[in-house]
Structure formats: structure tokens, C-alpha cells
Amino acid sequence: MSSYTLLYWPGIPGRGEYVRLAFEYTNTKYKEINVPNAFSPHLSPKGPHFAVPILQIDNGWTLSQTAAILAYLAPKLKLAGANEHEQATINQLTLTALDLSTEAHDVHHPVANALYYEDQKDEALRAAEDFKSLRIPKYLTHFETVLKGNAENNVLVGSAISTADLTLFQVLEGLLFAFPRRMGTMKKSGQYDKTFALHETVKNLKNLQHYLKSDRRNEFSMGLFRHYPELDSE
């Protein structure tokens, strides 16, 4: 069995959390090295790598980009479905969930990543209105439709938990943190019952419960998902 080391920023769940959840759910042993800054030599151990997360495998090979790491790990950790068709669909839905994650980040940084939130607050307020009223409903409607098409299994694809389910769970966790009022309204609407039910299913998975309650699970703060009360509304 391969051994894995995850390189990521310290103190935030961020994009590294999507990889951690895959390891934690499958009880796969891994180490984590927290990279303190963008100029760390860890960023190019066998390079070139643009940014963390970076996955190191025991054969000396390294891989970056969250989606690429998840696509690589999914079949090895039995999170890729039962056949080639399911594997491709799981990858598709994982990428869609990661797109939603990126859009959530861009709400509080709509102009430039190098600027502070306060320097682009007016633009963020405009971006938040579009995100809350149009983008979140569009994504959640899509996932709701997918889940209704696989209603007998209560997962996105096939009959078992996959990287798509774990990734969507983490995105929903982030949205509930960043936009609690808006997400509360959407949950009460009843239009996304299967999507929120999947969130609860993953949250209560036996293999994840200990991790989710442990101090190894980083809390949301200043990463992808950030809570600014002025950006949230019902």
C-alpha cells in the first residue's frame, strides 16, 4: 500500500480538506506537512508545482491541483464507483462541486486575490447578491436533480460514497458557514431536501465522525469560505 504526504497551508481547511476527507473516510494513513508560505521549498519537491495542495507518494512522485489529486486517489481508495462510467461521472460532479467552491471564494475577492477584502468590499457586495440569488440555487438545483435520479441510493453516483459526495459535503459546510442566513432559507424551502440530506449522511458517516469532531479538523476562518455578515441575507 502506498504512503501519502499532504502539503498544505497551516490552520485552514481550504482545498486541502477535500483531500483529507478522502483519506479520513477510507481510514487511509497519511502525513501532513504545513507549508508556511508560498516560497517554501516544499512547493517544488519534484516540481514544478504551482501551489498547494501537493500530494507526495512514497515512490517519490508528486501531484498538485485538488481535482487531479482526487481523480488519482479515487480509484485507489475505492471512491470511484463500480465501473468506468461511474468513475467518469464522479469526476465530473467532483469538478462541478469544486467550481462552486471557487465561486464562493470569488465572492469575497471579486477583483483580485492580492487585495484585502476591505479594498474590494463594494464589488464583493454586488458579487454576493448574484451568488446568493442565482449561482447557489443553480448549483444546488443541479445536485438535487442528480440525487433524485439516484434516489434509491441517496448518493450522487452508484451505491457507495465517492469523492463527489465528500467534496459536495465540504462545499455545503463552507456555504453554511459563509452564508448561514441564505443557506437556512434554502434549506427551509424544501427544494433541496436530497442535497441537504446527503450533507447530513456524510456528516454522520461512522468513519468521519471522529475526525469531524477532532482538533485535526480545521475550522473555517480566512480561507476559501469566509463569513462577512454584510454579504449574507435570507
Side-chain angles (χ1 to χ4, degrees):
M1 180 180 293
S2 297
S3 63
Y4 303 102
T5 300
L6 175 66
L7 285 72
Y8 200 65
W9 311 120
I12 59 172
R15 293 177 176 86
E17 192 68 10
Y18 301 115
V19 182
R20 295 186 196 103
L21 287 172
F23 286 141
E24 295 289 343
Y25 172 66
T26 57
N27 289 319
T28 301
K29 291 184 178 180
Y30 69 103
K31 296 188 298 182
E32 181 164 347
I33 296 175
N34 291 138
V35 182
N37 60 66
F39 302 101
S40 169
H42 287 303
L43 277 180
S44 297
K46 295 288 183 180
H49 295 288
F50 183 74
V52 292
I54 297 173
L55 183 69
Q56 292 181 336
I57 298 91
D58 57 3
N59 61 9
W61 184 57
T62 58
L63 180 66
S64 59
Q65 289 286 352
T66 306
I69 293 171
L70 292 175
Y72 170 78
L73 288 175
K76 296 182 179 299
L77 304 185
K78 301 187 185 307
L79 295 172
N83 53 54
E84 187 178 65
H85 171 77
E86 288 189 1
Q87 181 174 344
T89 305
I90 286 166
N91 187 48
Q92 168 193 307
L93 292 167
T94 300
L95 289 167
T96 303
L98 291 173
D99 285 344
L100 175 53
S101 173
T102 298
E103 289 197 31
H105 168 272
D106 291 347
V107 168
H108 56 76
H109 274 70
V111 178
N113 287 339
L115 295 176
Y116 290 108
Y117 165 70
E118 290 74 17
D119 296 326
Q120 49 195 317
K121 185 174 178 179
D122 290 343
E123 293 86 351
L125 287 166
R126 292 179 60 191
E129 289 306 311
D130 177 79
F131 186 66
K132 290 179 297 184
S133 63
L134 298 176
R135 302 304 291 169
I136 299 178
K138 184 172 184 176
Y139 276 101
L140 265 58
T141 297
H142 173 66
F143 288 117
E144 188 74 9
T145 301
V146 173
L147 286 163
K148 286 179 178 177
N150 193 34
E152 67 276 13
N153 292 310
N154 298 313
V155 293
L156 285 166
V157 180
S159 59
I161 292 291
S162 70
T163 51
D165 302 299
L166 297 173
T167 301
L168 180 56
F169 161 77
Q170 180 62 13
V171 173
L172 291 170
E173 284 276 283
L175 293 175
L176 287 163
F177 168 78
F179 304 98
R181 295 175 62 193
R182 179 58 180 152
M183 292 298 286
T185 297
M186 296 185 72
K187 187 173 184 178
K188 290 177 183 177
S189 74
Q191 297 180 52
Y192 314 100
D193 285 349
K194 290 191 176 299
T195 303
F196 285 105
L198 175 63
H199 173 265
E200 288 301 310
T201 295
V202 174
K203 187 176 183 178
N204 290 295
L205 288 170
K206 183 178 179 181
N207 288 9
L208 279 183
Q209 283 187 335
H210 178 71
Y211 169 68
L212 294 177
K213 295 176 182 178
S214 74
D215 57 8
R216 294 186 298 114
R217 166 83 161 170
N218 290 313
E219 296 182 358
F220 292 108
S221 56
M222 298 303 289
L224 283 172
F225 299 97
R226 306 184 188 185
H227 176 60
Y228 295 104
E230 63 271 21
L231 299 184
D232 191 19
S233 64
E234 296 181 1

